[in-house]
């Protein structure tokens, strides 16, 4: 093969890759644009009979925060729901402190089957003998936001009335003196868990489950064939429920917040766990979900398949930059500039969507000087993605080091 033929072949491959990447880019941009419009209000649950609710809190070595979380939850539910803590493979005083704070406690020790999914499954098996109407899953380091318009009980009531999972809006809190990387991580989290979910709701589409602040009717839980040892067990469960006819509903009026880690090393550990799980689900599940949705004509499956095809934002930007660099080299060598044009347009659209969302929802909390550090943030994330591509995936449930008692809430409100 001569040089001209090689350039032609590479140009074809590059155009195909640029066109393929334009699909998740368009989904991301479309969701962000939809979020700029008013979000439809969630229906008000009708006042019926009492709903039995259990708040399940999976906890692994959370002695520093569990008592405060239990007290917070008991204040929220005011004796109208039970709080059940699962102390899973703990080496500290999590169980004792949770019990002293007033929670029911299950102690689980199984070093071979570790993970949040196993902890929740253990709680569900315990509850099966006297099943509640609704189970609310709440992480041990989370809190209901001070400006939440709806309570956990209202979240549970809506799930019971709709007969499908209901996901609360999830945000994050910043440590007192955050590094630029932590602040940009907060923006990325905001886009993924807040803005894009609002965009999906505005389009009348279901969201993905987010692990905390999710209410699940017991009648729906019976359709789930056990929890997974997946690092994104909540995401996988939501996809399973959508396939069986119970797509999650997003109740943005209920807000829960969790702390971001204070140190960059802890942040990288947390992001590695989340993003490896997301990428693994993207590769293994998104194509099958999309194809099934197209075959069965189910828009909720198509929507979740397309949304799942959007990789983490920094990874998507990295791929666009890689394609731009290759496209520029091929154009310089005499190939068509089409691949360069497609990738460049995609990167510009991504940047515009993020900037518009930042200006609308987070400009006061995240100053422009932090936006200027985004390129360094993308470079910081590259080792996370390389480790995934090289097969060194994170597979363990590792507690993230943090200082929640010092966190502050910078979350934007529309």
């Amino acid at each position: 093969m001569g040089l001209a033929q090689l350039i032609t072949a590479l140009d074809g491959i590059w155009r195909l890759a640029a066109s393929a990447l334009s699909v998740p880019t368009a989904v991301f941009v479309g969701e962000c644009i939809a979020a700029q419009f008013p979000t439809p209000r969630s229906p008000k649950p009708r006042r019926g009979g009492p709903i039995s609710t259990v708040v399940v809190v999976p906890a692994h070595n959370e002695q520093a925060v569990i008592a405060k979380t239990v007290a917070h939850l008991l204040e929220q539910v005011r004796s109208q729901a039970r709080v059940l803590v699962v102390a899973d493979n703990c080496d500290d005083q999590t169980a004792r402190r949770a019990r002293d704070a007033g929670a029911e406690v299950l102690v689980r020790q199984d070093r071979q089957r570790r993970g949040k999914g196993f902890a929740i499954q253990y709680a569900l098996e315990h509850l099966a003998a006297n099943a509640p109407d609704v189970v609310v899953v709440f992480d041990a380091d989370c809190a209901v936001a001070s400006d939440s318009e709806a309570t956990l009980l209202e979240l549970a009531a809506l799930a019971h009335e709709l007969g499908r999972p209901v996901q609360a809006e999830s945000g994050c809190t910043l440590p007192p003196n955050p590094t630029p990387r932590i602040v940009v991580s907060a923006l990325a989290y905001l886009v993924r868990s807040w803005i894009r979910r609002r965009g999906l709701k505005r389009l009348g589409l279901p969201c993905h489950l987010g692990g905390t602040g999710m209410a699940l009717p017991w009648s729906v839980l019976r359709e789930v064939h056990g929890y997974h040892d997946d690092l994104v067990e909540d995401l996988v469960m939501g996809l399973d429920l959508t396939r069986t006819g119970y797509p999650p509903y997003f109740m943005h009026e209920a807000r829960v917040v969790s702390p971001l880690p204070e140190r960059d090393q802890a942040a990288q550990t947390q992001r590695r766990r989340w993003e490896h799980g997301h990428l693994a689900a993207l590769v293994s599940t998104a194509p099958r979900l999309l194809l099934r949705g197209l075959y069965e004509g189910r828009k909720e499956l198509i929507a979740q398949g397309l949304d799942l095809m959007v990789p983490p934002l920094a990874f998507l930007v990295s791929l666009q930059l890689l394609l731009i660099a290759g496209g520029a080299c091929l154009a310089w060598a005499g190939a068509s500039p089409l691949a360069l044009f497609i990738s460049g347009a995609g990167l510009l659209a991504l940047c515009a969507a993020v900037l518009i969302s930042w200006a609308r929802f987070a400009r006061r909390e995240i100053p422009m000087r932090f936006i200027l550090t985004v390129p360094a943030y993308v470079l910081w994330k590259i080792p996370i993605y390389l480790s995934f591509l090289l097969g060194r995936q994170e597979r363990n449930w590792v507690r993230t080091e943090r200082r929640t008692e010092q966190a502050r809430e910078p979350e934007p409100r529309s």
Side-chain angles (χ1 to χ4, degrees):
M1 178 184 294
L3 180 59
Q5 290 81 3
L6 177 61
I7 292 174
T8 301
L10 288 175
D11 181 48
I13 294 172
W14 229 250
R15 277 186 284 174
L16 180 62
S19 300
L21 196 60
S22 66
V23 175
T25 299
V27 172
F28 178 93
V29 172
E31 291 172 349
C32 289
I33 291 174
Q36 310 305 313
F37 297 90
T39 307
R41 301 288 299 179
S42 301
K44 285 285 187 181
R46 293 189 298 268
R47 299 293 180 182
I51 299 172
S52 61
T53 303
V54 177
V55 182
V56 173
V57 184
H60 173 63
N61 289 343
E62 296 284 6
Q63 65 176 10
V65 299
I66 193 62
K68 181 178 179 180
T69 300
V70 169
H72 172 76
L73 289 172
L74 291 174
E75 181 181 0
Q76 287 285 317
V77 301
R78 298 185 183 279
S79 75
Q80 298 181 55
R82 298 156 55 193
V83 176
L84 176 64
V85 173
V86 183
D88 187 84
N89 289 291
C90 293
D91 302 316
D92 61 1
Q93 298 298 312
T94 295
R96 181 178 64 80
R97 295 188 182 184
R99 192 176 292 111
D100 291 346
E104 302 174 40
V105 177
L106 294 177
V107 176
R108 178 178 179 273
Q109 293 292 341
D110 187 341
R111 301 294 180 179
Q112 301 303 315
R113 301 168 71 240
R114 300 165 59 94
K116 179 180 173 181
F118 289 122
I120 296 175
Q121 182 64 34
Y122 191 71
L124 298 181
E125 292 170 357
H126 170 78
L127 294 170
N130 185 23
D133 294 318
V134 178
V135 171
V136 177
V137 178
F138 201 86
D139 281 355
D141 63 330
C142 287
V144 177
S146 57
D147 61 350
S148 178
E149 299 177 40
T151 67
L152 290 182
L153 292 176
E154 291 172 320
L155 185 80
L158 183 60
H160 184 259
E161 183 168 308
L162 295 179
R164 56 191 280 200
V166 175
Q167 173 64 55
E169 182 177 287
S170 55
C172 58
T173 59
L174 290 173
N177 296 299
T179 66
R181 288 176 184 172
I182 300 300
V183 176
V184 177
S185 290
L187 177 61
Y189 186 88
L190 170 71
V191 171
R192 177 67 189 99
S193 299
W194 194 74
I195 294 172
R196 290 175 58 194
R197 278 182 182 156
R198 287 198 169 210
L200 286 169
K201 186 174 185 179
R202 185 67 183 83
L203 295 170
L205 300 171
C207 68
H208 293 293
L209 291 179
T212 187
M214 56 184 189
L216 304 140
W218 190 265
S219 59
V220 170
L221 284 170
R222 289 182 302 186
E223 303 293 329
V224 180
H225 303 295
Y227 248 96
H228 304 260
D229 61 350
D230 201 293
L231 290 175
V232 284
E233 73 297 315
D234 47 332
L235 173 64
V236 174
M237 182 186 189
L239 297 175
D240 287 346
L241 289 172
T242 299
R243 277 190 288 256
T244 54
Y246 304 101
Y249 180 83
F250 181 45
M251 186 181 188
H252 68 279
E253 295 86 356
R255 296 185 66 238
V256 299
V257 291
S258 57
L260 285 175
E262 186 170 357
R263 300 191 306 178
D264 285 341
Q265 182 176 0
Q268 190 170 33
T269 300
Q270 185 184 68
R271 300 306 302 182
R272 175 187 173 95
R273 184 172 71 248
W274 288 350
E275 298 191 10
H276 280 196
H278 181 179
L279 289 171
L282 186 158
V283 172
S284 64
T285 306
R288 291 187 289 110
L289 194 69
L290 181 58
L291 289 174
R292 179 171 175 177
L294 291 170
Y295 178 75
E296 298 179 1
R298 295 172 59 186
K299 69 174 184 178
E300 68 274 14
L301 291 179
I302 296 172
Q304 288 207 338
L306 288 172
D307 184 73
L308 188 58
M309 286 177 64
V310 180
L313 181 55
F315 190 37
L316 185 55
V317 170
S318 300
L319 291 176
Q320 292 286 17
L321 288 172
L322 178 63
L323 289 176
I324 288 173
C329 291
L330 288 169
W332 177 80
S336 167
L338 181 59
L340 176 61
F341 173 78
I342 295 173
S343 301
L347 181 62
L348 288 175
L350 285 175
C351 293
V354 172
L355 286 174
I356 290 171
S357 299
W358 164 79
R360 167 77 185 278
F361 298 112
R363 182 170 51 186
R364 288 179 300 174
E365 291 77 17
I366 301 177
M368 174 59 79
R369 68 178 185 274
F370 291 108
I371 302 300
L372 298 177
T373 68
V374 167
Y377 175 79
V378 172
L379 291 174
W380 174 66
K381 299 289 285 294
I382 288 177
I384 296 177
Y385 305 132
L386 287 177
S387 63
F388 176 84
L389 295 173
L390 294 174
R392 297 196 294 269
Q393 298 180 28
E394 180 63 61
R395 301 184 184 278
N396 297 316
W397 186 22
V398 181
R399 179 186 178 275
T400 303
E401 183 181 352
R402 53 188 171 258
R403 295 183 186 176
T404 55
E405 62 273 14
Q406 295 180 352
R408 58 184 174 88
E409 288 185 32
E411 275 300 297
R413 299 296 295 168
S414 58

